């Protein structure tokens, strides 16, 4: 038979070659069916968009005209005061979390070590496993029952919020308390999770509480607090708090600022940079003060190094050197780290899908999942060291021969005196101490290759299995630990082919694995340098990060982007998909459009608000207020509810008289956006039948300068405008003047790929996609490679 292309492929090629507005829209559906519910923490919740746009109306103009210079000075001083307070509180909370984890986990490991020395092996196991199970069940129970929004790391939720997505209770005081207590219990339970992600969420919670603009419930209603009753200032505070959280987790003030800039924020400016840097500096000073305090031994089992500082600058400086011949080794580490990172993200995504199915069945299943993961982890952590060989204690500078030194450095486990078990020294430690051991230079002969391989496989697998439980848990530290183990393993395999110290290669392994999973470069580079306190590593860390990110991006997205997709949070990327350049905004606008007249009947306003969930409505002036229908602006649902509650109605369809004083009847604070808590709804408005027949003038309360785009603008261009400005609504106006003044309204969900491809399924087979290796392409490539090698052979 003749080889002809299928008719469907021919139609798809024809569709791609047509101009955007002349394509047949036979394949598109009628409405936007994208869900507005997402997983927040461990619970499905309704989500909304944030209002970053300044509402310019008569009331806003009058409010700004009446503001005195003292008000402006007070506003600026208050912003810096809040930054200082956020830094103090975040530093204190970060220290308390580290102190609690060190002491809780330290007491547990001390008890297990004592039992092992007395040969009570089964008792030691049951104490170890039972304590781990109790701690994790406690963390999971309080999260599932009190604040499900506190589950997970919290970084995806913070990233979505800074992108313009709001969800209930993600920054509430209850979420903050559960996040702190639950993370202490989860990390102390020997689960392969970290404190960094929850610390970012904790800092954001502290900052968001300052941005609530006061509280009527607690009597905090001072006027100066109301300056922050808007999403723009709250966004800035949450950004600052997130950067402070990174600083509290790693004692990396510059890295904290860069992490917020590179990974979290969708919008940035120089003034925010200064305030964020000031806050992280305050956090660093607070942590330094507490470290000096604990240096006197008044903090229990808190380690002297404390607060995740892996200082390698003063130990064996001659070993922290490298030469040009070491560059191929560094490149190899970057490439392998990228492949391992891409595989890690792929496996994490599929495991989280399974966990979501289990967690959706209720609290009992959530606790059973946590218990199963805890028991499996405890069995492996306690059982695998039995297969590791006992090694004589190494000689340390200034220590007697055969002394194992610090308790956190080596674990005797079941070995005879003056011997240690290298695998137990990694498994039966908190992650911070394990990383510190792996980063230590001059320890090339301390660990057996078999132990390194076992620890790498276990940490890789448990890092994937541990994250999906309900308890607050982070990814950053487990990824650092897994990467450090991988680096040590590579250094052992290279043997005499590389002169690099194993501790140095462990640092490079962490960098490569971080680049392969998180896909961050600048912030991770600075964080690693601040963690290790060694600038000599800068060129190698930069090279490894660039290689690992570039290679890993060819396979899939970063781990946080994948989690955002799984949670259903409508995050807008900083770049547009290639196929959006083939569409115009008129191709994705979904109806029906609801609008109001400039002077509208109260009953009609009540009906529209009761029968729709829209948060903004176009206001169109028609005769007799205009010679022809013309767009006046955009009015928000929240503002309409205020008008209805105030009952400033008119008996006839006419505008307010000139002598009508808006500021005498309304205050700007009446239209301020509330913080977390109960929002006004249409059910709160009760009107009489006589009032329903009256009219309301919307002109003084309508945003007269909303952002608009013409219907022929490319969707990619509109997406960049929507994201960069931080819009919630974007009006689409017609190209011709003889049509309705508004074609439709674009919201965040109209830019989602699921909505666009649902309207235009022809684009599913389009060649206009981001370049990325697909499973079929990889299989085809390796098949052709094997065939070519066989033919040459």
């Amino acid at each position: 038979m003749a080889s002809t292309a299928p008719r469907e492929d021919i139609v798809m090629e024809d569709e791609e070659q047509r101009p955007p507005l002349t394509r047949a829209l036979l394949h598109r559906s009628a409405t936007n069916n994208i869900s507005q519910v997402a997983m927040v923490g461990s619970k499905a919740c309704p989500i909304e968009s944030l209002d970053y746009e300044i509402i310019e109306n008569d009331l806003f103009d009058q409010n700004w005209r009446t503001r005195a210079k003292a008000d402006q000075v007070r506003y600026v001083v208050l912003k810096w005061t809040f930054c200082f307070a956020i830094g103090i509180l975040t530093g204190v909370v970060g220290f308390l979390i580290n102190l609690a984890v060190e002491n809780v986990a330290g007491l547990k490991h001390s008890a297990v070590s004592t039992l092992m020395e007395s040969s009570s092996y089964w008792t030691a196991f049951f104490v170890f496993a039972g304590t781990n199970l109790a701690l994790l069940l406690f963390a999971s129970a309080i999260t599932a029952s009190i604040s499900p929004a506190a589950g997970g790391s919290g970084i995806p939720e913070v990233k979505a919020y800074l992108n313009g997505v709001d969800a209930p209770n993600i920054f509430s005081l209850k979420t903050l308390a559960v996040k702190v207590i639950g993370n202490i219990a989860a990390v102390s339970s020997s689960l392969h999770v970290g404190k960094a992600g929850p610390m970012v969420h904790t800092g954001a919670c502290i900052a968001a509480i300052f941005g609530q603009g006061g509280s009527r419930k607690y009597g905090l209603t001072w006027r100066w607090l109301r300056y922050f009753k808007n999403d723009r200032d709250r966004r800035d505070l949450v950004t600052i708090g997130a950067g402070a959280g990174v600083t509290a987790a790693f004692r990396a003030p510059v890295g904290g600022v860069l992490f917020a800039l590179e990974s979290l924020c969708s919008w940035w400016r120089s003034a925010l940079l200064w305030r964020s840097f000031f806050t992280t500096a305050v956090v660093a000073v607070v942590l330094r003060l507490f470290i000096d305090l604990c240096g006197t031994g008044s903090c229990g089992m808190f380690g002297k190094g404390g607060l995740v500082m892996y200082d390698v600058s003063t130990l064996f400086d001659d070993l922290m050197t490298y030469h040009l011949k070491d560059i191929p080794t560094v490149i190899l580490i970057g490439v392998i780290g990228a492949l391992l990172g891409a595989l890690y993200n792929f496996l994490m995504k599929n495991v989280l899908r399974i966990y979501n199915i289990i967690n959706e069945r209720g609290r009992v299943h959530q606790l059973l999942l946590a218990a199963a993961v805890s028991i499996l982890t405890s069995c492996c952590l306690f059982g695998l060291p039995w297969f590791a060989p006992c090694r004589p204690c190494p000689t340390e500078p200034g220590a007697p021969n055969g002394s194992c030194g610090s308790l956190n450095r080596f674990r005797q486990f079941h070995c005879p005196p003056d011997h240690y078990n290298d695998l137990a020294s990694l498994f039966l430690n908190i992650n911070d101490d394990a990383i510190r051991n792996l980063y230590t230079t001059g320890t090339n002969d301390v660990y057996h290759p078999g132990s390194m391989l076992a620890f790498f496989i276990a940490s890789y697998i448990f890092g994937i299995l541990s994250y999906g439980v309900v308890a607050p848990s982070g990814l950053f530290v487990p990824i650092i630990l897994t990467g450090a183990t991988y680096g040590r393993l590579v250094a052992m395999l290279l043997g005499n082919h590389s002169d690099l110290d194993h501790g140095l290669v462990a640092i490079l392994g962490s960098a490569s694995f971080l680049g392969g999973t998180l896909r961050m470069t600048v912030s991770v580079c600075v964080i690693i340098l601040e963690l290790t306190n060694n600038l000599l590593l800068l060129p190698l860390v930069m090279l490894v990060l660039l290689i690992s990110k570039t290679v890993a991006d060819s396979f899939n997205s970063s781990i946080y982007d994948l989690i955002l997709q799984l949670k259903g949070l409508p995050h807008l990327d900083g770049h547009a998909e290639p196929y959006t350049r083939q569409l115009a905004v008129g191709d994705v606008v979904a109806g029906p459009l609801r609008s109001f007249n400039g002077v509208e009947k109260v009953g009609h306003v009540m009906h529209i608000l009761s029968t729709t969930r829209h948060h903004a409505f176009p206001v169109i002036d028609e005769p007799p207020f205009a010679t022809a229908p013309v767009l006046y602006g955009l009015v928000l649902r929240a503002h309409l509810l205020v008008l209805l509650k105030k009952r400033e109605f008119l008996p006839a369809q006419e505008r307010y008289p000139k002598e009508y004083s808006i500021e005498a009847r309304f205050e700007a604070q009446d239209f301020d956006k509330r913080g977390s808590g109960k929002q006004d709804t249409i059910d709160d408005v009760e009107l009489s039948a006589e009032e329903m027949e009256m009219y309301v003038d919307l002109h003084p309360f309508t945003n007269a300068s909303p952002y608009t785009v013409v219907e022929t603008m490319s969707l990619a261009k509109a997406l960049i405008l929507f994201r960069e400005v931080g819009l919630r609504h974007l009006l689409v106006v017609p190209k011709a003047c003889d049509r309705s003044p508004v074609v439709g309204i674009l919201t965040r969900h109209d830019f989602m790929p699921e909505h666009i491809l649902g309207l235009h399924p022809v684009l599913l087979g389009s060649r206009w996609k981001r370049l990325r290796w697909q499973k079929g392409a990889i299989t085809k490539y390796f098949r052709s490679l094997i065939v070519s090698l066989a033919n040459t052979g």
Side-chain angles (χ1 to χ4, degrees):
M1 295 180 64
S3 59
T4 58
R7 178 62 184 169
E8 182 180 353
D9 294 341
I10 297 176
V11 172
M12 292 171 63
E13 293 178 1
D14 292 341
E15 291 284 350
E16 291 178 1
Q17 296 172 359
R18 295 184 184 181
L21 290 182
T22 60
R23 295 194 188 110
L25 300 182
L26 298 177
H27 300 292
R28 53 175 293 178
S29 56
T31 58
N32 187 344
N33 295 320
I34 300 302
S35 173
Q36 297 189 10
V37 176
M39 292 294 297
V40 179
S42 59
K43 182 180 179 181
C45 300
I47 55 174
E48 297 181 0
S49 295
L50 298 171
D51 292 310
Y52 294 146
E53 183 181 1
I54 297 177
I55 307 300
E56 296 180 340
N57 52 31
D58 294 347
L59 186 62
F60 173 82
D61 295 339
Q62 180 65 25
N63 180 54
W64 273 99
R65 284 195 298 266
T66 57
R67 280 194 179 184
K69 189 173 182 179
D71 293 329
Q72 301 176 18
V73 173
R74 191 181 297 113
Y75 173 65
V76 174
V77 172
L78 196 60
K79 287 196 294 187
W80 286 95
T81 304
F82 279 3
C83 290
F84 181 78
I86 292 169
I88 294 290
L89 290 179
T90 306
V92 171
V93 172
F95 168 76
L96 292 177
I97 291 176
N98 279 275
L99 180 66
V101 169
E102 290 271 356
N103 281 277
V104 173
L107 289 173
K108 178 187 66 178
H109 292 310
S110 177
V112 171
S113 297
T114 302
L115 291 171
M116 291 295 294
E117 291 176 0
S118 62
S119 301
S120 302
Y121 299 139
W122 281 107
T123 305
F125 169 72
F126 286 119
V127 169
F128 179 72
T131 306
N132 291 340
L133 180 61
L135 287 171
L136 185 57
L137 286 180
F138 170 73
S140 301
I142 62 174
T143 304
S145 58
I146 299 177
S147 179
S153 72
I155 289 182
E157 285 81 3
V158 174
K159 185 174 182 178
Y161 181 87
L162 296 178
N163 190 255
V165 180
D166 193 14
N169 299 320
I170 57 174
F171 298 133
S172 66
L173 186 62
K174 186 167 56 175
T175 299
L176 173 62
V178 173
K179 198 78 177 185
V180 173
I181 299 173
N183 187 238
I184 292 173
V187 175
S188 302
S189 69
S190 296
L191 202 66
H192 204 63
V193 296
K195 306 183 293 287
M199 197 63 234
V200 172
H201 193 185
T202 299
C205 287
I206 294 173
I209 291 173
F210 277 97
Q212 295 301 310
S215 172
R216 296 178 182 176
K217 179 179 179 180
Y218 299 105
L220 303 176
T221 56
W222 301 300
R223 181 181 177 185
W224 50 270
L225 285 175
R226 296 185 176 275
Y227 293 148
F228 294 87
K229 274 189 172 293
N230 62 83
D231 288 332
R232 294 180 305 280
D233 286 317
R234 288 172 187 155
R235 172 187 59 187
D236 291 352
L237 288 176
V238 169
T239 302
I240 292 169
V246 177
T247 305
F250 295 118
R251 265 176 62 199
V254 180
V257 176
L258 294 177
F259 184 90
L261 171 62
E262 181 180 9
S263 178
L264 300 177
C265 291
S266 302
W267 188 85
W268 194 267
R269 69 179 190 276
S270 58
L272 185 59
L273 177 66
W274 280 105
R275 283 191 283 146
S276 181
F277 185 69
F278 169 73
T279 307
T280 57
V282 172
V283 175
V285 172
V286 171
L287 294 180
R288 184 71 259 176
L289 292 176
F290 279 117
I291 290 175
D292 292 341
L293 176 64
C294 290
T296 61
S298 57
C299 296
M301 303 187 70
F302 188 71
K304 293 183 179 179
L307 290 171
V308 200
M309 171 62 80
Y310 315 125
D311 194 342
V312 297
S313 61
T314 59
L315 300 175
F316 303 94
D317 288 335
D318 57 323
L319 297 177
M320 301 301 293
T321 58
Y322 50 87
H323 305 87
L324 186 62
K325 65 178 182 179
D326 298 319
I327 298 300
T329 302
V330 175
I331 295 175
L332 177 65
I333 292 173
V335 173
I336 298 178
L339 298 177
L340 290 173
L343 178 62
Y344 189 90
N345 292 359
F346 171 77
L347 295 175
M348 175 75 76
K349 181 179 179 180
N350 288 277
V351 169
L352 288 179
R353 283 177 175 171
I354 299 174
Y355 280 9
N356 286 340
I357 297 175
I358 298 175
N359 290 331
E360 287 175 356
R361 297 185 177 182
R363 295 178 187 173
V364 175
H365 289 81
Q366 293 173 352
L367 296 180
L368 288 176
L369 175 62
V373 173
S374 177
I375 294 173
L376 177 63
T377 302
S378 297
C379 291
C380 291
L381 297 189
F382 196 88
L384 289 177
W386 290 91
F387 299 96
C390 293
R391 301 166 67 86
C393 292
T395 301
E396 298 182 357
N401 294 338
S403 173
C404 282
S406 172
L407 173 67
N408 291 334
R409 181 84 179 276
F410 300 105
R411 298 288 185 187
Q412 182 179 344
F413 202 59
H414 68 293
C415 297
D418 297 329
H419 287 71
Y420 71 97
N421 186 307
D422 57 353
L423 198 52
S425 301
L426 296 173
F427 276 137
L428 302 182
N429 255 326
I430 62 174
N431 290 338
D432 296 342
D433 289 330
I435 296 172
R436 190 175 291 110
N437 291 345
L438 293 173
Y439 280 2
T440 303
T441 54
T443 57
N444 292 3
D445 299 326
V446 168
Y447 300 101
H448 189 274
S451 299
M452 278 292 98
L453 178 61
F455 186 72
F456 169 70
I457 295 175
S459 61
Y460 193 93
I461 294 175
F462 285 125
I464 297 172
L465 296 179
S466 301
Y467 181 74
V469 297
V470 181
S473 54
L475 283 170
F476 210 107
V477 173
I479 290 175
I480 292 179
L481 178 58
T482 305
T485 311
Y486 144 72
R488 279 262 179 180
L489 187 59
V490 170
M492 291 178 178
L493 294 177
L494 290 175
N496 297 328
H497 298 286
S498 175
D499 296 330
L500 293 174
D501 183 81
H502 291 191
L504 170 60
V505 182
I507 297 173
L508 298 180
S510 294
S512 68
F513 200 51
L514 285 169
T517 52
L518 304 184
R519 312 295 164 82
M520 294 182 291
T521 53
V522 180
S523 58
V524 168
C525 180
V526 174
I527 288 174
I528 288 178
L529 295 180
E530 290 183 295
L531 279 176
T532 58
N533 197 22
N534 195 316
L535 284 175
L536 296 175
L537 301 174
L538 179 60
L540 296 186
V541 174
M542 291 175 62
L543 179 61
V544 163
L545 284 170
L546 289 172
I547 293 174
S548 60
K549 172 178 168 52
T550 303
V551 174
D553 276 339
S554 302
F555 294 94
N556 49 33
S557 303
S558 72
I559 186 64
Y560 292 134
D561 289 338
L562 293 177
I563 294 175
L564 280 170
Q565 296 174 11
L566 286 175
K567 287 178 173 289
L569 295 168
H571 182 274
L572 296 179
D573 293 331
H575 60 274
E577 290 287 349
Y579 59 76
T580 58
R581 302 188 184 278
Q582 307 302 306
L583 294 172
V585 293
D587 294 335
V588 298
V589 170
L593 178 66
R594 305 299 181 114
S595 62
F596 292 125
N597 293 323
V599 180
E600 188 59 80
K601 193 173 184 179
V602 175
H604 182 64
V605 175
M606 288 288 294
H607 173 71
I608 295 298
L609 294 182
S610 301
T611 56
T612 66
R613 298 172 56 192
H614 305 323
H615 290 272
F617 305 89
V619 176
I620 300 175
D621 271 339
E622 296 182 351
F625 303 105
T627 56
V630 60
L631 174 65
Y632 182 81
L634 193 72
V635 64
L636 300 181
R637 169 186 284 265
H639 293 182
L640 290 173
L641 293 175
V642 174
L643 292 178
L644 295 175
K645 285 187 173 183
K646 289 284 187 177
R647 290 175 167 79
E648 291 293 330
F649 303 145
L650 296 168
Q653 190 175 9
E654 58 186 11
R655 299 191 62 170
Y656 288 128
K658 293 183 178 180
E659 61 272 12
Y660 182 83
S661 176
I662 301 176
E663 58 273 12
R665 294 170 171 82
F666 295 93
E667 295 182 5
Q669 65 186 33
D670 294 334
F671 297 91
D672 289 339
K673 184 174 181 180
R674 293 188 184 180
S676 60
K678 186 177 182 296
Q679 304 293 331
D680 292 333
T681 64
I682 189 62
D683 297 330
D684 300 328
V685 180
E686 296 182 1
L687 300 176
S688 64
E690 181 181 355
E691 290 172 329
M692 297 284 279
E693 296 298 323
M694 300 179 73
Y695 294 85
V696 57
D697 185 5
L698 302 180
H699 292 94
F701 315 98
T702 299
N703 181 11
S705 57
Y707 284 90
T708 60
V709 295
V710 69
E711 61 181 341
T712 54
M713 177 184 285
S714 72
L715 190 61
K717 193 174 181 180
L719 170 61
I720 299 302
L721 171 66
F722 191 94
R723 184 182 185 274
E724 294 298 326
V725 181
L727 300 178
R728 185 175 185 178
H729 307 97
L730 183 60
L731 291 175
V732 180
V733 298
K735 184 78 170 178
C737 298
D738 56 348
R739 297 169 55 191
S740 174
V742 181
V743 175
I745 299 180
L746 289 176
T747 63
R748 174 176 299 270
H749 293 273
D750 293 311
F751 292 102
M752 291 293 103
E754 295 82 1
H755 171 61
I756 299 172
L757 297 176
L759 293 176
H760 304 282
V762 66
L763 294 175
L764 287 170
S766 172
R767 63 179 178 274
W768 295 97
K769 294 180 179 179
R770 199 184 313 174
L771 294 177
R772 180 166 285 161
W773 284 100
Q774 303 294 333
K775 183 171 65 175
I778 297 176
T779 304
K780 181 179 179 181
Y781 173 78
F782 278 106
R783 186 186 297 116
S784 61
L785 178 63
I786 294 173
V787 172
S788 62
L789 291 176
N791 293 335
T792 56

